[in-house]
């Protein structure tokens, strides 16, 4: 049986849909079984439902702590029988219990560790890259542990920073690289991973 994946989103769902497509086209040997959205405002909810996926929305209540919220979200993935979770534009902190160690992946729109950590998401990453004056950025697929953007690197692609780049330009170039990288990284990861 193919490993089952759950997709966690907070935004457009672009990366999640891209993974669903790669699975259905046989480029990734996995079955997408569920999506979890951290907010009902996530544009990806409708797109993923249109693609035939069950999407659950789990908003974090103000008086809920990270561990409780994580238990709820991971519990849904477990109840659906997920072997692996792919964070795809997910913006909430997850507390990773031992049984999920090494089975949650994330894609980060920058090179790690230099351009990761708390507060380093979305345009913040691209602005920091331009402010640092470096000639390269990129995107990274890594395992998720209990530190932000810290777990084992699975795959990375480097993307040039071009003269005159605005954060939006860099974002567009890196996002295009993500579309290629995440399915390939997931496929390679699953080949080496034993589904639980
Ligand atoms: C992506 O750039 C990804 O690297 C980051 O979230 C961004 C938005 O993803 N983790 P999506 O458009 O919701 O797929």
């Amino acid at each position: 049986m193919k490993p089952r994946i759950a997709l966690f989103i907070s935004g457009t769902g672009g990366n999640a849909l891209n993974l669903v497509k790669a699975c259905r086209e046989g480029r990734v040997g996995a079955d997408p079984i569920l999506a979890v959205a951290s907010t009902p405002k996530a544009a990806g909810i409708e797109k993923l439902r249109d693609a035939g996926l069950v999407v659950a929305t789990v908003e974090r209540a103000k008086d809920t702590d990270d561990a409780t919220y994580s238990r709820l979200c991971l519990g849904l993935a477990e109840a659906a029988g997920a072997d692996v979770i792919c964070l795809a534009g997910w913006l909430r902190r997850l507390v990773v219990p031992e049984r999920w160690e090494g089975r949650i992946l994330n894609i980060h729109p920058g090179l790690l560790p230099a351009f990761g950590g708390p507060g380093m998401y979305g345009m913040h990453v691209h602005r920091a890259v331009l402010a640092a004056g470096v000639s390269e950025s990129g995107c990274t697929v890594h395992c998720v542990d209990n530190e932000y953007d810290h777990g084992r690197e699975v795959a990375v692609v480097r993307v040039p920073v071009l003269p005159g780049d605005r954060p939006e330009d860099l974002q567009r170039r890196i996002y295009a690289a993500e579309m290629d990288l995440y399915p390939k990284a997931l496929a390679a990861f699953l080949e080496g991973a034993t589904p639980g």
Side-chain angles (χ1 to χ4, degrees):
M1 196 162 91
K2 286 185 197 168
R4 289 153 299 204
I5 58 168
L7 301 149
F8 280 24
I9 68 161
S10 301
T12 75
N15 272 286
L17 271 172
N18 186 47
L19 291 179
V20 170
K21 190 165 175 264
C23 291
R24 292 186 176 159
E25 289 173 359
R27 286 179 282 125
V28 174
D31 269 335
I33 48 154
L34 171 79
V36 175
S38 65
T39 164
K41 293 184 189 138
I45 296 174
E46 213 175 310
K47 295 185 220 159
L48 287 162
R49 284 196 182 132
D50 286 348
L53 225 68
V54 172
V55 185
T57 301
V58 190
E59 269 193 288
R60 201 189 124 152
K62 279 200 182 76
D63 55 355
T64 306
D65 58 28
D66 288 339
T68 307
Y69 181 71
S70 302
R71 266 199 301 279
L72 275 172
C73 298
L74 297 176
L76 281 174
E78 276 162 25
D83 299 301
V84 170
I85 294 173
C86 295
L87 307 188
W90 176 260
L91 289 175
R92 284 284 180 200
R93 181 163 141 71
L94 279 182
V95 175
V96 182
E98 218 173 285
R99 67 183 180 284
W100 275 103
E101 275 172 16
R103 294 197 290 139
I104 306 179
L105 297 183
N106 180 45
I107 185 153
H108 180 75
L111 298 177
L112 297 175
F115 295 98
M120 277 287 202
Y121 60 90
M123 282 299 176
H124 298 287
V125 179
H126 308 307
R127 283 191 206 108
V129 166
L130 292 176
V134 292
S135 61
E136 268 187 341
S137 186
C139 46
T140 310
V141 174
H142 64 94
C143 285
V144 175
D145 64 12
N146 283 313
E147 277 178 60
Y148 275 109
D149 302 323
H150 173 266
R152 178 174 76 80
E153 196 169 283
V154 175
V156 59
V157 157
R158 291 174 180 275
V159 170
V161 177
L162 301 178
D165 263 353
R166 294 163 304 161
E168 297 75 20
D169 301 315
L170 204 48
Q171 191 265 342
R172 216 169 296 121
R173 200 173 306 126
I174 289 174
Y175 199 74
E178 291 182 21
M179 294 297 125
D180 185 54
L181 179 69
Y182 209 175
K184 285 183 181 158
L186 176 60
F189 175 82
L190 292 173
E191 275 162 28
T194 318

